[in-house]
Amino acid sequence: MERLQQIQDLRRALDDLREYGTTFKKTLDAFKDLIDTEKFASADFMTNMGDSFVDWMKKTKTCFISYEKLFKTQPPETFAEIENILDAEEIKIRETDIFFQAEKFLHIVATSSDLQKNLDEHQKRLAKLLERKRQGAKFKATLEIFAKFVKAINEVDFGKKFSASKELNNFFDDEFIGRGLFGGELTLTADADKSTSTTDDVKTSRRKKVAAATEIPAQSVTETDVADADKSTSTTDDVKTSRR
């Protein structure tokens, strides 16, 4: 997503500014020594000091512009404060990113082999959907089902978890929901939040398209809907899938 990319660019700019600041500080320390020892500075030294200062000022301006573009306000005084704000903003974006949340379903593991077999089928179906180039409202609604299941696994409030299970039972069978959500037999792996989707340009562009899709209540999606969505895939995509 574009906003995530802007956040990453600002983080890199801050890191660059740290390096420029370290270089400029060394130059200033050397300049201080010249003053303390009453020595003349060479022309090269003065040029390097000027260049270091200009580099630091330019990168500072870049950081200010980037921050103001993201948050429509002036940045706080310290790098740490900016980075904390960026971290919070990234978490907020990822939580509302349907692709990122749905992909977490691929990082679920089961504690028993029979439930794992059932889980594998759902994960294969999701992986196939995520590879598609053609998207629509039903496609997004299907992803929302997977995303809601992931959220339900982490939900600690029993009432909210139960409500979510009622929305999911049109898509997942009762045993899968019961053992997975209430029996504790399904868990997310530690790397669930490290999905590569945000660094994949193709999937990033897909997110932009899906964001404009019409919202459909998650409970209206069934496995039949998924089958219908799969049938809408172009012949070219079918050929590519068979080749894979």
Side-chain angles (χ1 to χ4, degrees):
M1 297 176 70
E2 183 179 356
R3 192 167 179 83
L4 277 177
Q5 185 60 54
Q6 291 174 341
I7 288 173
Q8 297 302 330
D9 289 344
L10 180 49
R11 283 197 181 110
R12 282 191 289 269
L14 286 171
D15 287 338
D16 290 342
L17 188 55
R18 283 190 175 96
E19 293 183 9
Y20 288 140
T22 298
T23 299
F24 185 50
K25 184 177 182 300
K26 290 179 179 179
T27 304
L28 289 177
D29 289 341
F31 186 59
K32 180 178 179 299
D33 289 339
L34 289 175
I35 293 175
D36 291 342
T37 57
E38 297 185 338
K39 292 182 179 178
F40 292 104
S42 67
D44 288 342
F45 179 87
M46 296 302 294
T47 298
N48 290 335
M49 185 171 71
D51 290 343
S52 295
F53 180 66
V54 170
D55 289 341
W56 186 83
M57 288 296 295
K58 285 182 178 179
K59 190 60 64 172
T60 297
K61 184 177 180 180
T62 297
C63 290
F64 278 22
I65 293 174
S66 297
Y67 187 91
E68 291 173 1
K69 184 177 180 180
L70 273 167
F71 301 105
K72 312 303 180 186
T73 187
Q74 292 186 345
E77 292 185 353
T78 67
F79 293 8
E81 289 177 287
I82 293 178
E83 288 169 331
N84 287 338
I85 292 172
L86 293 179
D87 290 344
E89 183 68 12
E90 181 174 0
I91 291 173
K92 179 181 177 182
I93 292 173
R94 287 180 181 275
E95 286 179 346
T96 58
D97 179 3
I98 189 64
F99 272 86
F100 182 79
Q101 294 303 316
E103 283 180 322
K104 286 184 179 181
F105 190 91
L106 300 177
H107 295 271
I108 296 175
V109 293
T111 58
S112 56
S113 58
D114 61 325
L115 192 60
Q116 183 64 51
K117 184 177 180 180
N118 194 345
L119 173 63
D120 288 342
E121 292 301 315
H122 289 301
Q123 290 177 329
K124 288 177 183 177
R125 178 173 294 160
L126 173 59
K128 182 179 179 181
L129 286 172
L130 291 172
E131 289 178 354
R132 287 185 48 195
K133 294 181 176 62
R134 298 176 64 184
Q135 303 162 2
K138 189 172 292 185
F139 171 82
K140 182 185 178 184
T142 304
L143 291 188
E144 286 177 343
I145 283 289
F146 288 104
K148 282 196 172 187
F149 194 95
V150 171
K151 183 178 181 181
I153 287 181
N154 293 325
E155 182 58 65
V156 295
D157 185 292
F158 181 84
K160 292 181 179 179
K161 188 186 287 284
F162 182 77
S163 296
S165 71
K166 303 302 289 183
E167 295 179 7
L168 297 169
N169 64 7
N170 286 333
F171 190 85
F172 301 102
D173 61 73
D174 290 340
E175 181 182 6
F176 187 79
I177 292 174
R179 295 173 63 182
L181 297 187
F182 301 100
E185 295 186 49
L186 293 178
T187 58
L188 281 167
T189 59
D191 60 347
D193 288 323
K194 299 179 181 178
S195 170
T196 58
S197 62
T198 53
T199 59
D200 188 312
D201 291 336
V202 175
K203 290 181 181 177
T204 297
S205 65
R206 292 179 188 172
R207 286 194 188 88
K208 294 177 181 178
K209 296 177 183 178
V210 172
T214 304
E215 292 285 347
I216 288 183
Q219 57 266 34
S220 67
V221 182
T222 64
E223 295 204 28
T224 301
D225 293 326
V226 177
D228 292 340
D230 288 339
K231 289 178 183 177
S232 67
T233 308
S234 65
T235 303
T236 302
D237 289 341
D238 289 340
V239 173
K240 291 181 179 178
T241 301
S242 65
R243 287 178 180 173
R244 289 195 290 268

